[in-house]
């Protein structure tokens, strides 16, 4: 049956002379019930193309392939990449890209994007992310995928509990910030399960969550894709307790009251108090 227990993963690694690397965030999901829940949440069809990041020994990969979907996997660890080629390389629905999923901090690896683009026309379906994400790259990767030219129909992933809380954070909470605003403007985020540290091997120091992120289109999408908008929000949160009136450009101070009235925002509000849907409105008014 697809999916690997902890003892099976240990045996595969021992035979290959490999060990989990902390620097790559290699914590394998060994609770098979939770692993299958990840796949069920993706609602895969045989025409779908799946992006998997950090496949490791291929435990989740096996389940994804068993669903009939095509899998494009990115593996940064050279030893694990060789293990995957030996075990799954003969499967015509499996494509391995050896290297980091990200090129730089906020850009999908061009080789990975090219592999997805090459597969999509022949599959005729949609592309989805399904992955047990390494903690270090989870936030920048998810943001980049939501903004990427390749349209993802769904993102299903396990990530650190604190990161999941940040993505879903409400105004007036400590976790609320630029990432919360951007992700909530671009998608609906839903927590499907809590994953204890004991569900992974090696056991991490943190708990995790299983998220389903459903991208959506809307009037704010174009704003989110504009680097100037993202910089505007980021700059505002550098002093999250300062009032929003300070964001008015120097040459428009005399218009300040009218500008905030047009945006439907109080100039006395603070960045941490403003809900996601008001940020694009305020930005458009202030830059007009």
């Amino acid at each position: 049956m697809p999916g690997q227990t902890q003892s099976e993963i240990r045996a595969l690694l021992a035979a290959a002379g490999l060990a989990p690397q902390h620097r790559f965030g290699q914590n394998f999901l060994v609770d098979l019930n939770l692993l299958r829940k990840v796949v069920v949440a993706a609602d895969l069809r045989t025409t779908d193309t799946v992006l998997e990041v950090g496949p490791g020994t291929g435990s989740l990969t096996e389940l994804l392939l068993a669903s009939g979907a095509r899998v494009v996997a990115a593996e940064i660890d050279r030893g694990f990449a060789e293990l995957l080629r030996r075990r799954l390389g003969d499967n015509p629905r499996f494509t391995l890209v050896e290297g980091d999923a990200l090129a730089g901090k906020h850009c999908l690896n061009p080789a990975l994007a090219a592999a997805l683009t090459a597969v999509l026309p022949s599959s005729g379906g949609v592309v989805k992310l399904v992955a047990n994400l390494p903690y270090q790259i989870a936030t920048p990767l998810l943001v980049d995928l939501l903004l990427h030219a390749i349209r993802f129909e769904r993102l299903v992933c396990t990530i650190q509990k604190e990161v999941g809380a940040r993505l879903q954070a409400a105004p007036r909470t400590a976790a609320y910030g630029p990432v919360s605003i951007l992700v909530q403007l671009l998608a609906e985020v839903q927590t499907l399960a809590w994953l204890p540290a004991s569900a992974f091997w090696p056991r991490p120091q943190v708990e995790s969550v299983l998220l389903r992120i459903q991208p959506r289109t809307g009037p704010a999408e174009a704003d989110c894709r504009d680097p100037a908008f993202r910089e505007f929000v980021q700059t505002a949160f550098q002093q999250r307790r300062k009032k929003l009136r300070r964001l008015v450009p120097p040459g428009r101070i005399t218009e300040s009251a009218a500008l905030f009235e047009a945006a439907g925002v109080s100039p006395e509000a603070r960045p941490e108090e403003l809900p996601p849907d008001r940020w694009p409105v305020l930005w458009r008014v202030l830059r007009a």
Side-chain angles (χ1 to χ4, degrees):
M1 180 180 294
Q4 301 159 6
T5 63
Q6 179 176 327
S7 60
E8 289 171 335
I9 291 174
R10 283 178 174 271
L12 284 170
L13 296 183
L18 299 172
Q21 300 293 313
H22 177 73
R23 65 192 175 108
F24 292 143
Q26 291 172 343
N27 302 95
F28 306 109
L29 182 55
V30 293
D31 185 317
L32 295 187
N33 288 328
L34 289 171
L35 192 68
R36 293 179 185 117
K37 190 166 188 170
V38 174
V39 179
V40 169
D43 189 23
L44 295 174
R45 298 176 289 273
T46 56
T47 54
D48 289 348
T49 295
V50 174
L51 168 61
E52 184 187 6
V53 175
T57 57
S59 182
L60 176 59
T61 320
E62 292 173 355
L63 286 168
L64 296 172
L65 291 170
S67 75
R70 295 171 181 264
V71 178
V72 175
E75 177 55 62
I76 193 173
D77 188 302
R78 185 176 301 175
F80 281 86
E82 180 57 33
L83 187 153
L84 288 163
R85 275 191 288 266
R86 289 200 306 267
R87 299 191 69 248
L88 302 172
D90 291 337
N91 191 317
R93 289 184 288 106
F94 177 69
T95 302
L96 178 66
V97 176
E98 185 176 340
D100 199 331
L102 290 172
K105 191 175 181 181
H106 296 292
C107 180
L108 190 67
N109 184 336
L112 192 54
L116 289 168
T117 303
V119 168
L120 282 172
S122 59
S123 70
V126 299
V127 61
K128 299 175 179 177
L129 170 78
V130 187
N132 172 30
L133 288 179
Y135 293 149
Q136 299 94 319
I137 69 166
T139 300
L141 178 67
L142 290 173
V143 170
D144 186 72
L145 295 183
L146 288 172
L147 293 170
H148 204 276
I150 297 175
R151 294 282 183 164
F152 283 76
E153 185 189 73
R154 180 174 294 182
L155 313 175
V156 176
C157 60
T158 63
I159 60 172
Q160 187 175 343
K161 183 173 73 173
E162 287 74 15
V163 175
R166 196 176 307 136
L167 299 183
Q168 301 175 83
R172 298 182 176 86
T173 63
Y176 185 66
V179 169
S180 317
I181 292 164
L182 192 62
V183 170
Q184 290 175 39
L185 286 172
L186 292 168
E188 178 184 353
V189 185
Q190 181 181 7
T191 297
L192 299 181
W194 298 95
L195 285 67
S198 58
F200 297 87
W201 178 82
R203 183 172 179 150
Q205 300 299 312
V206 296
E207 294 182 329
S208 302
V209 289
L210 170 61
L211 296 183
R212 178 167 56 207
I213 302 174
Q214 201 68 43
R216 58 188 170 204
T217 57
E221 183 180 6
D223 298 316
C224 292
R225 293 182 180 279
D226 191 326
F229 170 70
R230 302 199 296 272
E231 183 179 354
F232 171 73
V233 177
Q234 192 73 43
T235 300
F237 272 86
Q238 288 173 358
Q239 295 178 297
R240 61 187 292 136
R241 298 289 295 161
K242 296 287 186 179
K243 294 179 179 179
L244 290 170
R245 63 188 177 192
R246 69 185 171 85
L247 299 177
V248 177
R252 307 190 71 188
I253 296 296
T254 57
E255 305 173 63
S256 180
L259 291 172
F260 277 93
E261 184 178 357
V265 174
S266 169
E268 301 302 303
R270 295 172 170 82
E272 62 185 6
E273 299 172 333
L274 196 63
D277 64 335
R278 303 315 300 168
W279 280 98
V281 178
L282 179 61
W283 180 63
R284 289 188 216 117
V285 168
L286 293 183
R287 74 165 187 164

